[in-house]
């Protein structure tokens, strides 16, 4: 099964102070602790100046592997995709 793209959902993300990597993802009543960092993608040059840069994190949680992105100019986090078949063991 592949990563399922979802409409971006705004979430709150608690990050590590030193590295800036996600530690916990929450929205509404849901809280997902991050159990592992899989990949980081810096997309600073991939977007026009109107949209601004973003950084994409692929993380493992107990529920699923989740792709979250951080838009630097608006300082907002969104969930962009998830894969329940590839959750952390």
């Amino acid at each position: 099964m592949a990563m399922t793209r979802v409409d971006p959902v705004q979430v709150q993300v608690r990050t590590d102070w030193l590295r800036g990597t996600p530690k916990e993802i929450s929205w509404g009543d849901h809280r997902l602790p991050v159990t592992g960092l899989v990949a980081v993608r810096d997309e600073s040059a991939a977007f026009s100046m109107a949209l601004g840069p973003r950084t994409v994190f692929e993380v493992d949680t107990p529920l699923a592997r989740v792709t979250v992105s951080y838009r630097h100019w608006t300082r907002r986090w969104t969930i962009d995709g998830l894969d329940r078949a590839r959750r952390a063991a």
Side-chain angles (χ1 to χ4, degrees):
M1 184 164 179
M3 181 73 67
T4 304
R5 298 302 255 170
V6 297
D7 290 330
V9 175
Q10 189 170 346
V11 294
Q12 286 77 39
V13 177
R14 201 177 75 197
T15 60
D16 181 86
W17 277 94
L18 297 175
R19 294 180 292 157
T21 56
K23 289 175 58 176
E24 182 182 76
I25 303 167
S26 60
W27 70 99
D29 294 335
H30 304 289
R31 288 191 178 278
L32 294 175
V34 173
T35 57
L37 180 65
V38 178
V40 178
R41 198 169 53 242
D42 180 15
E43 297 182 347
S44 297
F47 290 91
S48 68
M49 290 299 289
L51 293 176
R54 78 175 186 168
T55 304
V56 178
F57 298 89
E58 192 171 324
V59 296
D60 281 330
T61 68
L63 180 65
R65 182 166 287 178
V66 180
T67 301
V68 293
S69 63
Y70 178 70
R71 295 222 178 249
H72 297 271
W73 285 3
T74 59
R75 296 183 182 185
R76 292 194 179 161
W77 288 90
T78 58
I79 291 180
D80 294 329
L82 42 103
D83 185 358
R84 289 182 187 261
R86 302 225 25 199
R87 67 178 173 256

